Amino acid sequence: MCGIAGCLTASGRVGDLEASAVAMAAALAHRGPDDAGVWVDRGAGVALAHRRLAIIDLSPAGHQPMRGARGRYVIVLNGEIYNHLELRAELEAAGSAPAWRGRSDTESLLAAIEAWGVRTAVEKSVGMFAFALWDREERTLTLARDRLGEKPLYYGLFDGSLVFASELKALCAWPGIVPDVDRGAVALLFRHGYIPAPYSIYRGVRKLLPGAMLTLGTRDLAGGRLPEPERYWSAKAVAEAGAASPFDGDDAEAVDELERLLAASVRGQMIADVPLGAFLSGGIDSSTVVALMQAQSSRPVRTFTIGFEESGYDEARYAKAVAGRLGTDHTELYVTPREALDVIPRLPVLYDEPFSDPSQVPTFLVAQLARRSVTVALSGDGGDELFGGYDRYARAAAWERRRRLVPSAVRRLVAARLEAAEAGGRRAGEEARATSDLGKAWTGLAESGERLRKLAHVVGARHAETLYAPFACHSQVAERAVLGAAASPTAYTDPALWLERGDSLRRMTYLDLVVYLPDDVLVKVDRAAMAVSLETRVPLLDHRLVEFALRLPSSMKVRNGAGKWLLRQLLIRYVPAELVDRPKMGFGVPIGEWLRGPLRDWAEALLDATRLAREGFLDVACVRRRWTAHLDGRADWQYFLWDVLMFQAWLDRWKSVRSEGDHVTVDAARLERVHACT
């Protein structure tokens, strides 16, 4: 786990490449506190920068940027190639291996690229990664990202220079780059609670999509428009292939295959030259990962969890029970509300662009706890998307069953009346209330604020995707609160990105796999862990396991109304059923209550009407109306308000970046200021 950055710039725009690359690397010091490096070719207009968190081969042989043995390629890599020893063995068997200088996975990947080319080497690699590769012969730069999007990579074209980085703070350390806010991205934030790829909060800055590579040379910079990335792996193609050729074994065979694949993934991800442990919430996913870790370990696995005293937010007792059964070396920490609240002012710096999943707070706290003892932690993320674990799948499926009983003409009438009630100023007439009650009876969604709009959307849906979107989003009309904005299309809203075959559950889980998982869940974990220099690994996202999961029939994922059926059967092989069969809990904090209590003054300052009007991004009346209603207890607007507050807090940081101006001076004090202000 590291941080990477750099640029490719056209002739005549070179400037002080080394100083600029050093500034970018300094902004990523938290991602790699163990080492730093910069490589520059002024004649080619290329600079590569790296910050290292040493995990495998702690010696100087793992230093980056790294040149290949034949001298053609130079690389900076963030992440881990878990099968790099297998790659070495294959190269050696073919007589294509270099004289190895060390044991790092970066050297293994470079040798594979030299022997097979970039695409083949990436397709053979198993891991989480984002890298930049300079080809000195072809004079091209290749950016690549892992299949599921575990590692981040931003890029943008500014004044003839392609600039890239693991985090936006490093990109903004490049001289003269202070991008404008993309109002469409703000609308996406309010719709989802995060900004889906390929968009970012900055106009002109993009996130490289998972499973994609972008290759370009200086000639591509001249036109002001970059080539389109190419996909070397597509979740859509894999999901459709799985629907066309589903797993045809019985239940026992499916559990056996899942155990084989997940055990192999866990075994590969336990390789490290530094202390290693795991997050353990007590839920199905993390408990299964830890069970397979302990089964393959000769000593107790270190596990970590945090708890809260507030009712409904504490899973620590379940984690403790699982840890006791498995025999792990377990550490738990009960966090006070004050300790959790103290994290909130740090969030704009940790997440770099507005991000408003409230579970970001406990995620940071458990990462901070783990880092006291280990440098690497495995997590159970991905199980909900792969095995149908979210409660919203069951709620959407319940509506799907109900709508089959109602003629389409009646559904359209109810949807139209709901939309009229919401669009007409939330009329309180008897007809509107009666229509809303009917919608609630069908969907299970309670009326509160914009939920009238959600009811209308669900009632009138004609496709699984349009039916599911309201369950997966904070708001269907988020752009109403953002002045001059329209939300850009995502896989939730663009039919061109939907699956062409598969049942409703397959379609719903696919949407979350390609949007919610990489752009919310994995962002949350990466930024929280990297803020304390902790590497996180996600065994459930080994692409071979993902490909297996996408072949499974829905009956092996959701059965008798319970999600993650197959994962549950696997976990029961290791712990008693009573530790498995319990209601699902979220990993969150009581944001709604805190906004009415200890966070009220902080929020009021950020939501001040004069301030909102001066900044000019948000509809002041809309924001203030919902804030007042939430404080009075007339409505629960916690998700909308947290979206707004995270944007407002981030906006303070953005304004400080703009006032800082050009970051070209690179003395030590200046680098500290750049790091702090971004």
Side-chain angles (χ1 to χ4, degrees):
M1 190 79 73
C2 305
I4 65 173
C7 82
L8 177 63
T9 186
S11 176
R13 303 179 186 270
V14 172
D16 192 341
L17 281 179
E18 185 170 8
S20 301
V22 166
M24 297 179 81
L28 296 172
H30 55 290
R31 294 188 74 93
D34 298 328
D35 190 20
V38 168
W39 181 87
V40 173
D41 184 339
R42 289 184 57 83
V46 64
L48 303 178
H50 190 261
R51 292 291 312 209
R52 185 185 185 198
L53 177 63
I55 302 295
I56 296 175
D57 189 353
L58 310 186
S59 76
H63 176 79
Q64 297 185 49
M66 185 180 290
R67 291 180 62 171
R70 300 173 190 172
R72 176 175 176 177
Y73 297 105
V74 186
I75 196 170
V76 284
L77 170 71
N78 168 28
E80 303 289 350
I81 308 299
Y82 300 125
N83 69 330
H84 82 102
L85 294 178
E86 287 87 347
L87 296 180
R88 288 193 177 206
E90 185 175 349
L91 290 166
E92 289 166 355
S96 301
W100 302 110
R101 294 166 288 180
R103 299 181 295 106
S104 76
D105 56 335
T106 305
E107 186 181 6
S108 304
L109 178 61
L110 260 178
I113 291 170
E114 288 182 327
W116 304 320
V118 181
R119 186 180 182 106
T120 299
V122 170
E123 289 174 340
K124 287 176 175 282
S125 295
V126 177
M128 56 172 188
F129 54 82
F131 68 75
L133 178 81
W134 176 245
D135 184 335
R136 302 178 72 195
E137 288 185 11
E138 296 293 328
R139 297 173 75 85
T140 56
L141 178 71
T142 296
L143 305 179
R145 193 176 180 203
D146 64 69
R147 296 170 178 85
L148 278 301
E150 290 186 58
K151 295 298 102 193
L153 191 55
Y154 295 86
Y155 66 96
L157 186 61
F158 296 93
D159 194 25
S161 297
L162 181 282
V163 185
F164 65 89
S166 297
E167 296 183 13
L168 287 173
K169 57 173 61 73
L171 191 147
C172 291
W174 185 260
I177 295 183
V178 187
D180 291 328
V181 174
D182 185 335
R183 291 174 184 263
V186 180
L188 285 174
L189 170 73
F190 288 10
R191 176 167 287 189
H192 299 281
Y194 55 91
I195 301 172
Y199 313 107
S200 85
I201 189 59
Y202 290 135
R203 193 183 308 162
V205 177
R206 290 290 179 262
K207 299 163 185 164
L208 189 63
L209 288 167
M213 298 193 303
L214 172 65
T215 300
L216 71 161
T218 53
R219 62 184 179 276
D220 296 305
L221 306 178
R225 186 172 182 178
L226 297 173
E228 288 296 314
E230 298 180 7
R231 303 299 288 267
Y232 67 87
W233 189 89
S234 165
K236 185 173 187 287
V238 171
E240 289 181 337
S245 180
F247 179 79
D248 59 0
D250 61 21
D251 289 349
E253 290 171 327
V255 179
D256 288 343
E257 181 65 0
L258 174 59
E259 184 172 33
R260 183 188 71 81
L261 288 168
L262 186 52
S265 176
V266 166
R267 184 166 56 251
Q269 296 192 25
M270 289 176 68
I271 297 174
D273 295 333
V274 293
L276 176 143
F279 299 145
L280 178 60
S281 69
I284 304 298
D285 307 334
S286 65
S287 297
T288 305
V289 168
V290 170
L292 291 172
M293 289 178 71
Q294 192 58 69
Q296 301 178 86
S297 177
S298 60
R299 64 183 66 181
V301 171
R302 295 176 178 175
T303 53
F304 305 89
T305 190
I306 60 168
F308 293 92
E309 298 294 346
E310 287 91 344
S311 175
Y313 293 90
D314 179 37
E315 284 192 300
R317 63 187 185 277
Y318 300 114
K320 185 175 182 178
V322 171
R325 179 70 183 189
L326 296 175
T328 71
D329 180 1
H330 190 57
T331 300
E332 67 177 16
L333 175 68
Y334 271 82
V335 178
T336 67
R338 183 70 264 166
E339 289 172 311
L341 292 169
D342 286 344
V343 176
I344 291 173
R346 303 181 60 181
L347 295 177
V349 178
L350 300 185
Y351 286 90
D352 236 3
E353 67 179 351
F355 181 82
S356 50
D357 181 337
S359 62
Q360 62 201 130
V361 175
T363 300
F364 171 78
L365 290 169
V366 75
Q368 187 178 57
L369 173 66
R371 188 62 177 93
R372 298 172 188 171
S373 305
V374 301
T375 310
V376 177
L378 274 61
S379 83
D381 295 304
D384 288 303
E385 293 82 4
L386 292 174
F387 296 98
Y390 291 125
D391 293 340
R392 58 182 180 252
Y393 299 141
R395 296 199 305 270
W399 159 240
E400 177 69 20
R401 290 190 296 271
R402 292 183 181 113
R403 78 171 186 166
R404 292 174 186 158
L405 304 176
V406 180
S408 59
V410 176
R411 296 201 308 268
R412 288 195 298 270
L413 175 62
V414 172
R417 289 183 174 181
L418 285 167
E419 288 217 29
E422 192 271 343
R426 294 81 178 159
R427 289 194 303 265
E430 293 300 322
E431 179 182 344
R433 284 200 295 272
T435 307
S436 179
D437 289 342
L438 177 58
K440 283 185 286 185
W442 286 353
T443 65
L445 289 170
E447 180 188 344
S448 176
E450 277 187 357
R451 289 179 185 172
L452 270 176
R453 175 72 178 190
K454 286 192 174 187
L455 287 172
H457 197 92
V458 170
V459 170
R462 298 183 181 182
H463 305 280
E465 291 82 358
T466 52
L467 182 147
Y468 180 60
F471 293 92
C473 301
H474 289 184
S475 169
Q476 290 299 104
V477 287
E479 54 271 23
R480 290 184 181 180
V482 184
L483 301 177
S488 301
T490 70
Y492 288 117
T493 58
D494 186 352
L497 301 176
W498 296 348
L499 294 181
E500 296 177 6
R501 64 171 73 202
D503 61 19
S504 294
L505 182 66
R506 179 179 296 272
R507 290 173 175 273
M508 292 187 290
T509 54
Y510 163 76
L511 293 177
D512 285 340
L513 182 69
V514 298
V515 185
Y516 180 71
L517 176 69
D519 296 317
D520 184 310
V521 176
L522 297 179
V523 167
K524 175 181 62 183
V525 175
D526 175 83
R527 305 305 192 276
M530 285 278 68
V532 294
S533 304
L534 176 74
E535 172 166 302
T536 50
R537 299 176 176 178
V538 190
L540 283 164
L541 296 187
D542 183 303
H543 72 275
R544 297 164 297 187
L545 192 154
V546 171
E547 290 168 358
F548 164 73
L550 292 178
R551 292 183 59 216
L552 292 171
S554 293
S555 61
M556 288 185 176
K557 297 181 179 183
V558 177
R559 189 172 295 186
N560 300 322
K564 292 191 281 197
W565 181 85
L566 196 67
L567 268 180
R568 291 171 187 267
Q569 306 317 300
L570 174 54
L571 182 56
I572 287 171
R573 293 182 175 183
Y574 294 88
V575 302
E578 58 265 24
L579 293 180
V580 178
D581 296 326
R582 64 177 182 83
K584 180 178 176 61
M585 292 178 65
F587 190 48
V589 289
I591 289 294
E593 298 170 27
W594 287 356
L595 289 176
R596 296 186 182 104
L599 288 179
R600 180 168 180 167
D601 291 344
W602 168 79
E604 184 63 63
L606 290 172
L607 302 179
D608 175 73
T610 302
R611 172 183 180 151
L612 292 174
R614 182 177 65 250
E615 291 166 342
F617 285 99
L618 306 181
D619 183 321
V620 179
C622 173
V623 172
R624 294 298 304 181
R625 181 172 62 248
R626 295 178 181 185
W627 173 233
T628 302
H630 185 82
L631 291 179
D632 293 346
R634 289 183 284 113
D636 180 3
W637 285 110
Q638 61 175 310
Y639 292 114
F640 171 80
L641 291 170
W642 195 243
D643 295 339
V644 173
L645 289 164
M646 287 295 95
F647 172 69
Q648 288 294 103
W650 174 87
L651 195 60
D652 275 349
R653 310 298 297 179
W654 175 74
K655 287 185 290 188
S656 71
V657 171
R658 290 183 68 87
S659 65
E660 187 72 9
D662 194 342
H663 301 302
V664 73
T665 305
V666 192
D667 59 82
R670 174 67 168 181
L671 288 181
E672 285 299 315
R673 288 200 300 276
V674 169
H675 190 198
C677 80
T678 55

